[in-house]
Amino acid sequence: MQQISKEKFQIVGVKATDAERISKPSLSFWKDVSIRFRKNKLAMFGIVLLIILIFMAIFGPYMTKFDYSTNDLMNTNKPPSSTHWFGTDDLGRDMFARTWQGARISLFIGVAAAIVDFIIGVTWGGIAGFKGGRVDEIMMRIADILYGVPYLLLVILLMVVLGANLTTMIIAMTITGWINMSRIVRGEVLSLKNQEYVLAARTLGANVTRIMGRHLIPNAMGSILVTMTLTIPSAIFTEAFLSFLGLGLTPPLASWGTMASDGLASLQYYPWRLFFPAILIALTIFAFNVIGDGLRDALDPRLRNKG
Amino acid sequence: MEKILEVKDLKVSFQVYGGEVQAVRGINFDLYKGETLAVVGESGSGKSVLNQTIMKLIPMPPGKITGGQILFHGQDIVKKTDKEMEKIRGKEISMIFQDPMTSLNPTMKVGHQIMEVLLKHQNMKSQQAKERAIELLRLVGIPMPEKRVNQYPHEFSGGMRQRAMIAIALAANPSLLIADEPTTALDVTIQAQILELMKDLQKKMDTSIIFITHDLGVVANVADRVAVMYAGQIVEIGTVDEIFYDPRHPYTWGLLASMPSLDSDHKSELAAIPGTPPDLTNPPKGDAFAARNQYAMAIDFEEEPPMFQISETHFAKTWLLHPDAPKVEPPEAVKRKMRKLSSTFDKPVLVKEGK
Amino acid sequence: MVKYISKRLLYMIVSLLLIITATFFLMRIAPGNPFTSEKKLPPEIEASLNEHYGLDKPWYVQYGDYLGRIVQWDFGPSFKYESRTVNDLINDGFPVSLALGLEAILFAVAVGIVLGVIAALRHNKWQDYTAMIVAVFGISVPSFIMATFLQYLFAIKLGLFPVARWETFSHTVLPALALGATPMAFIARLTRSSMLEVLSNDYIKTAKAKGLSRGAMIMKHTIRNALLPVVSYMGPLAAGIITGSFIIEKIFGIPGLGSHFVLSISNRDYTVIMGVTVFYSILLLVSILLVDIAYGLIDPRIKLAGGKKGE
């Protein structure tokens, strides 16, 4: 055996600092989420795409000298060129200006629908989950029954009756759209409510608002955020869908849906009129979907493999 | 006695986000026919990984056997392909898992899940296999097996599911059964029944058992020998008597001292082991247990201790057995039970590297 | 099980009642609707409407009559075309829509499951990434864009398939693909995630520990359990196919119920909108109920529980 000096065999005991030291640096929840999110290439691509889209929605209409609603009957249905970058439509309106004007409207519809869903859903689901018992029973039964109503059919019906404008469109989309959010919030609240640390906080005498504020909402925030992110593309899709049925916004207002719907009619001769809005609808939905997926995976690594 | 399993310097690691976790860091042990070896340790000590590696059930990747051999009846399992393993799993080596609630397929009849083993390994016809499945259910003490064989797992209680799992595990008369905390998820009364059943069946079938647990009470009840694991290594291994009455490793002392015992009329304090196990992405230098060891010496923080042999069957991996080490007193709770065992060598003997 | 079905049946009826009531009153407040008779209607239609809806009677009588007729499977007349009733439109168009819808469902389910299973079994390998990128695109590209793209490329430019109409099988290929693309992508993702979840279960480890081959383990223990969530997706799938058919039928000029419905929307043919909406709602709710019952029959855990899983 090799020689080991005798002093090495002095008992030194527990090195308290060592025993309790956690070798890996511990990360705060959201920091961890953001690290995981940034590792997801597809989601990061979605973020970049979305930033470009938002940037263009804000500044795009000012980049060209043409206005989105001015007719120019001398220059109708022109293909993309150095003057009209995305071509012109059947009234000679500049497609580039219209496309980014449309981006504003489509994004606005998406975000507005998500926010309305969020407000109603979180309130409804939060109350149902937190109160529990009969209140929960009744509130969720109402949601169940409304959930049974076919979503797009109801939206169509409402648009037929109310007439198409931005407000009615958002009303129609959110009238049953919030249910999903409320179910998710309720589920989160219910499961969190019975988790030991919340029970512990209750036994320690923390009051209800404090528990809600400190424990429930931050923990439910993850799923809420994911649901909101995924509501936006679905609303953008619904808008386009309604435009195709002739229930979209009326000119000169332009959304991607109405532009694509107009373009469809002349697909054989002027394909660019469909191409630009269609590609942008798909890209936007794509961006939000991958961001939503990435967010969900980052929030809950156990679910990494889901969908 | 016939040696059925020989594990030599086995090393297993997992590639994870943030590095490589060395879950098993050089393990040696033997297992004999008809013997029960208990593997004890805290969660995260690598005991489950070790045993899933023996069946090659660890997912690879991220898992990887980075060194060593597992000789089963003299053949190295490490080298075997998946196809070859299929003939060993369930037939030669089988396994019982911790949670009977999740280890049975919820959408398949219990009988069918037993029959699968028989159809695969015993070349039985379906009718014959079903009869055998009923027999097996009866053997593991499930009443009305003719009816139970056609039921789904959710119609079974937890204890009955674990019995069914045992029936599956023993269906092909394996020579080695690995039980991974088979009683942890069960009620105490059911635990005792399952342990009795396992002992009983072992006697009938002469199966060797590796019994993974963190419960020393269970160990005393079932095991012939005990291996104590810490941070991916076996720190002490010996017969039940040696481990309970003449433990030498300070970690084993800690485990024993933290075990509540009924007969303690002494107002003995339950001693907890301070701190938490080390992070195995960066195993500490020296003795992995040093940071939590109140008997730690300067050398423990510098150099990994070698294995010392205390008797024919008893080994411990601690510098305290070095001739230069000071004589230390184990904790009160452990000392009280200490006995002089006849087989103990006069002096611990250093085991040469590579044994 | 009986309790479960009757409970679900009750919800379904309440939901239906809600839809019927909503359509009835929404149509009453719609601008220029048949019930307010602001516009001068052709006398034949007015007579037919009067007969059907008893427009001279108070609204609650009209509502009661309307409910009664729906129970008798009578969805009323057209507000624009005197000779046609909504029932005519359904009898005429629905078989076509049904054929298209079934073809699309078949495509979505078959391709979606295969893609999802492959992706899960080749988890984090190139097959997985490819399948999931296909799926993300399938979800991101709305059906009408898919339809026009397919039509433009394969029919107009390449001439491989007919551009429009509904005559032979080759007429059905492009519309069915366009209609099935999004649900196919959803099913692929659902199958993949559910396969991965099942694969991480302890009982898969048990199956492996038994010495089952990978093939046997996947066939017997994984796919069956993994497809249960896919079965429960069939309800939303039916809804997606129905609403998708509106646009697809319009783009490909297919004489199905969807086309009739779209036409009635642009004509503001209120009674047809109303009747077809109610018909679709019944269809949808019944199919969702059937799917749920089927699910209960397939999953042995539900049989005895007598309630919804996880509640």
Side-chain angles (χ1 to χ4, degrees):
Chain A
M1 183 195 275
Q2 78 274 42
Q3 279 308 306
I4 298 167
S5 73
K6 297 238 172 181
E7 307 87 82
K8 292 278 171 72
F9 288 97
Q10 294 299 315
I11 290 196
V12 292
V14 177
K15 286 192 179 171
T17 49
D18 280 11
E20 294 300 337
R21 196 194 61 202
I22 297 166
S23 314
K24 244 187 269 176
S26 89
L27 299 168
S28 80
F29 176 68
W30 288 104
K31 208 165 185 177
D32 206 26
V33 167
S34 115
I35 286 177
R36 278 199 297 268
F37 186 82
R38 268 182 258 157
K39 281 189 70 177
N40 186 334
K41 291 193 193 81
L42 206 55
M44 285 314 287
F45 178 65
I47 290 274
V48 172
L49 210 56
L50 188 61
I51 290 173
I52 296 174
L53 284 166
I54 292 173
F55 179 86
M56 290 306 289
I58 297 172
F59 299 106
Y62 308 121
M63 286 179 183
T64 165
K65 56 180 192 267
F66 299 101
D67 176 63
Y68 80 96
S69 60
T70 310
N71 300 352
D72 177 2
L73 297 175
M74 300 301 288
N75 286 305
T76 58
N77 292 324
K78 285 275 182 269
S81 67
S82 55
T83 355
H84 293 287
W85 298 331
F86 285 3
T88 61
D89 70 2
D90 54 346
L91 293 173
R93 291 175 295 204
D94 182 62
M95 285 288 288
F96 186 83
R98 281 183 80 68
T99 301
W100 298 115
Q101 187 67 29
R104 293 180 177 185
I105 299 209
S106 289
L107 288 172
F108 172 77
I109 289 171
V111 172
I115 290 174
V116 176
D117 278 0
F118 168 80
I119 294 169
I120 306 176
V122 169
T123 316
W124 191 275
I127 293 174
F130 207 81
K131 289 271 179 202
R134 275 203 78 71
V135 179
D136 176 35
E137 178 78 11
I138 292 166
M139 288 177 87
M140 287 335 278
R141 284 307 146 254
I142 293 173
D144 273 355
I145 288 162
L146 281 176
Y147 194 71
V149 178
Y151 172 72
L152 274 175
L153 284 175
L154 185 68
V155 172
I156 291 170
L157 214 58
L158 283 169
M159 295 302 289
V160 168
V161 174
L162 301 175
N165 62 49
L166 269 178
T167 323
T168 53
M169 199 171 267
I170 290 163
I171 292 176
M173 283 179 193
T174 49
I175 204 153
T176 59
W178 59 271
I179 291 170
N180 206 13
M181 176 70 85
S182 80
R183 286 185 161 186
I184 285 165
V185 172
R186 171 183 172 268
E188 286 283 336
V189 170
L190 269 186
S191 75
L192 288 169
K193 198 168 73 168
N194 294 322
Q195 244 162 47
E196 276 153 27
Y197 66 93
V198 175
L199 287 179
R202 284 185 130 176
T203 6
L204 289 174
N207 68 26
V208 172
T209 18
R210 192 183 149 77
I211 295 172
M212 273 297 241
R214 288 288 297 250
H215 297 295
L216 294 178
I217 296 301
N219 275 293
M221 207 55 221
S223 352
I224 292 173
L225 212 59
V226 172
T227 313
M228 282 183 77
T229 318
L230 297 176
T231 304
I232 297 173
S234 125
I236 291 175
F237 167 80
T238 307
E239 185 275 324
F241 176 84
L242 290 172
S243 301
F244 265 80
L245 295 185
L247 293 170
L249 300 173
T250 38
L253 270 187
S255 71
W256 288 339
T258 53
M259 292 171 69
S261 171
D262 291 345
L264 182 61
S266 53
L267 176 66
Q268 284 209 43
Y269 312 106
Y270 318 118
W272 65 88
R273 288 186 49 199
L274 175 66
F275 178 76
F276 291 108
I279 261 305
L280 283 167
I281 294 173
L283 280 179
T284 311
I285 295 179
F286 172 80
F288 277 107
N289 271 326
V290 293
I291 293 170
D293 286 354
L295 212 52
R296 179 175 49 196
D297 293 348
L299 281 163
D300 193 345
R302 281 177 298 120
L303 297 178
R304 167 154 294 161
N305 300 327
K306 295 212 159 190
Chain B
M1 254 197 303
E2 190 193 337
K3 220 185 238 184
I4 75 160
L5 184 73
E6 222 177 317
V7 175
K8 288 185 174 170
D9 199 29
L10 183 68
K11 294 186 177 111
V12 182
S13 51
F14 287 87
Q15 285 296 336
V16 293
Y17 168 60
E20 186 185 89
V21 178
Q22 302 170 27
V24 170
R25 305 188 296 144
I27 277 189
N28 292 289
F29 71 89
D30 303 329
L31 186 73
Y32 298 92
K33 192 168 169 59
E35 176 191 43
T36 301
L37 172 73
V39 179
V40 281
E42 287 165 284
S43 35
S45 60
K47 51 193 195 314
S48 285
V49 173
L50 166 67
N51 286 289
Q52 292 191 13
T53 307
I54 294 173
M55 273 184 102
K56 289 187 84 172
L57 282 180
I58 52 166
M60 295 193 256
K64 192 168 181 245
I65 299 176
T66 48
Q69 288 179 305
I70 303 168
L71 300 177
F72 179 68
H73 289 307
Q75 291 185 319
D76 190 1
I77 282 182
V78 175
K79 294 203 183 81
K80 291 208 184 288
T81 62
D82 252 9
K83 227 41 258 124
E84 290 168 326
M85 282 312 294
E86 280 170 24
K87 295 197 188 79
I88 294 176
R89 293 183 191 136
K91 186 176 187 210
E92 301 285 342
I93 311 178
S94 55
M95 196 157 194
I96 305 171
F97 297 95
Q98 177 171 355
D99 190 354
M101 297 315 216
T102 57
S103 48
L104 291 168
N105 184 346
T107 63
M108 193 187 269
K109 287 174 181 164
V110 172
H112 198 96
Q113 300 191 42
I114 301 173
M115 283 160 62
E116 270 187 335
V117 183
L118 301 166
L119 296 170
K120 168 92 190 179
H121 298 299
Q122 310 280 76
N123 292 322
M124 284 190 185
K125 294 269 177 303
S126 167
Q127 189 51 41
Q128 199 187 356
K130 184 156 188 179
E131 279 159 23
R132 176 76 182 137
I134 294 171
E135 232 172 89
L136 280 162
L137 284 176
R138 185 175 293 122
L139 188 70
V140 295
I142 289 179
M144 292 190 294
E146 297 83 1
K147 188 171 149 244
R148 289 295 187 174
V149 82
N150 286 323
Q151 286 185 337
Y152 288 97
H154 68 89
E155 298 168 74
F156 279 49
S157 68
M160 286 220 289
R161 286 190 213 189
Q162 200 59 303
R163 284 172 192 268
M165 267 308 290
I166 294 173
I168 291 173
L170 296 179
N173 287 320
S175 48
L176 171 60
L177 174 66
I178 298 173
D180 191 348
E181 309 224 10
T183 57
T184 311
L186 303 173
D187 289 344
V188 183
T189 47
I190 309 289
Q191 273 186 23
Q193 291 173 13
I194 296 287
L195 290 178
E196 277 313 307
L197 174 69
M198 287 182 63
K199 279 202 282 187
D200 189 39
L201 292 173
Q202 182 184 25
K203 239 175 264 159
K204 277 184 201 155
M205 300 182 162
D206 205 20
T207 310
S208 309
I209 297 180
I210 296 180
F211 199 106
I212 306 169
T213 182
H214 60 257
D215 184 345
L216 284 167
V218 171
V219 172
N221 194 351
V222 297
D224 299 312
R225 283 196 302 143
V226 184
V228 179
M229 276 189 75
Y230 186 79
Q233 296 177 320
I234 291 181
V235 294
E236 185 163 11
I237 183 168
T239 62
V240 172
D241 284 352
E242 285 164 344
I243 297 297
F244 277 83
Y245 303 123
D246 188 21
R248 296 301 179 99
H249 197 283
Y251 178 64
T252 315
W253 294 346
L255 281 183
L256 290 166
S258 61
M259 179 175 79
S261 66
L262 280 178
D263 53 55
S264 58
D265 38 70
H266 324 270
K267 286 231 166 49
S268 62
E269 59 312 322
L270 272 182
I273 305 174
T276 50
D279 172 13
L280 291 180
T281 3
N282 276 313
K285 200 175 154 214
D287 186 348
F289 184 56
R292 301 168 70 188
N293 182 2
Q294 52 171 315
Y295 306 100
M297 297 174 288
I299 179 103
D300 281 316
F301 293 97
E302 287 166 23
E303 215 166 318
E304 194 179 319
M307 208 37 120
F308 288 93
Q309 188 167 14
I310 301 116
S311 79
E312 242 355 282
T313 48
H314 192 180
F315 299 84
K317 190 180 171 70
T318 169
W319 282 117
L320 288 175
L321 296 172
H322 190 275
D324 290 340
K327 188 111 181 69
V328 294
E329 295 282 307
E332 190 54 34
V334 175
K335 218 170 111 190
R336 210 163 39 238
K337 288 205 190 115
M338 290 278 242
R339 274 185 230 160
K340 184 97 186 108
L341 299 171
S342 57
S343 57
T344 312
F345 297 162
D346 298 335
K347 248 193 203 160
V349 180
L350 179 75
V351 179
K352 297 272 178 311
E353 286 301 310
K355 213 158 61 144
Chain C
M1 194 69 189
V2 174
K3 194 183 148 205
Y4 172 66
I5 293 175
S6 41
K7 191 174 122 194
R8 290 296 313 272
L9 211 57
L10 189 75
Y11 280 138
M12 190 190 96
I13 290 167
V14 176
S15 290
L16 258 183
L17 209 61
L18 197 74
I19 295 163
I20 295 169
T21 312
T23 44
F24 181 81
F25 287 102
L26 282 172
M27 288 305 145
R28 283 182 69 88
I29 59 166
N33 74 72
F35 304 104
T36 52
S37 307
E38 277 163 3
K39 253 192 303 188
K40 197 71 205 124
L41 292 169
E44 305 88 353
I45 289 178
E46 186 148 13
S48 155
L49 277 174
N50 269 328
E51 185 208 328
H52 250 93
Y53 291 94
L55 293 183
D56 41 353
K57 293 180 200 153
W59 67 267
Y60 49 86
V61 180
Q62 293 176 29
Y63 176 64
D65 290 350
Y66 181 57
L67 278 183
R69 271 191 306 276
I70 283 177
V71 171
Q72 293 162 46
W73 204 253
D74 175 1
F75 297 98
S78 164
F79 169 42
K80 290 273 150 104
Y81 307 100
E82 44 142 341
S83 55
R84 308 206 73 175
T85 65
V86 177
N87 286 58
D88 290 341
L89 289 179
I90 291 171
N91 293 339
D92 184 40
F94 184 63
V96 174
S97 297
L98 186 68
L100 173 64
L102 288 180
E103 201 176 319
I105 289 176
L106 203 68
F107 160 71
V109 170
V111 178
I113 289 177
V114 169
L115 269 187
V117 168
I118 290 175
L121 293 181
R122 292 273 170 269
H123 186 36
N124 286 340
K125 301 214 171 66
W126 67 266
Q127 293 95 329
D128 184 15
Y129 297 129
T130 315
M132 283 310 107
I133 286 173
V134 168
V136 172
F137 276 103
I139 288 168
S140 305
V141 179
S143 57
F144 50 86
I145 294 177
M146 182 69 80
T148 43
F149 171 75
L150 290 176
Q151 192 183 40
Y152 189 72
L153 186 67
F154 290 104
I156 297 175
K157 289 286 164 203
L158 299 176
L160 294 176
F161 291 98
V163 178
R165 297 227 302 280
W166 187 258
E167 280 146 21
T168 62
F169 175 73
S170 70
H171 285 90
T172 69
V173 173
L174 294 181
L177 284 184
L179 190 53
T182 304
M184 182 276 284
F186 266 108
I187 291 175
R189 282 160 52 112
L190 193 63
T191 308
R192 171 178 177 271
S193 65
S194 131
M195 279 284 288
L196 287 176
E197 194 188 320
V198 170
L199 282 172
S200 72
N201 265 317
D202 283 355
Y203 61 82
I204 295 301
K205 225 181 239 173
T206 308
K208 248 193 218 163
K210 281 178 189 172
L212 294 188
S213 66
R214 191 174 155 80
M217 184 193 86
I218 289 162
M219 288 316 290
K220 288 186 180 166
H221 291 271
T222 315
I223 290 193
R224 189 195 140 94
N225 293 3
L227 289 188
L228 288 171
V230 178
V231 173
S232 63
Y233 174 69
M234 292 295 146
L237 171 66
I241 292 286
I242 288 176
T243 45
S245 73
F246 303 165
I247 285 175
I248 301 296
E249 288 181 10
K250 184 185 164 196
I251 290 174
F252 286 97
I254 297 167
L257 188 54
S259 296
H260 294 316
F261 187 55
V262 174
L263 189 69
S264 72
I265 290 172
S266 38
N267 284 342
R268 296 292 187 273
D269 192 345
Y270 292 106
T271 50
V272 174
I273 298 177
M274 191 164 147
V276 175
T277 304
V278 171
F279 170 75
Y280 274 136
S281 305
I282 295 173
L283 185 72
L284 214 55
L285 290 176
V286 169
S287 47
I288 290 172
L289 180 70
L290 289 179
V291 166
D292 284 359
I293 292 173
Y295 190 89
L297 291 176
I298 301 170
D299 190 342
R301 283 165 297 186
I302 289 181
K303 216 178 270 172
L304 285 182
K308 258 189 256 178
K309 203 177 64 161
E311 275 203 18

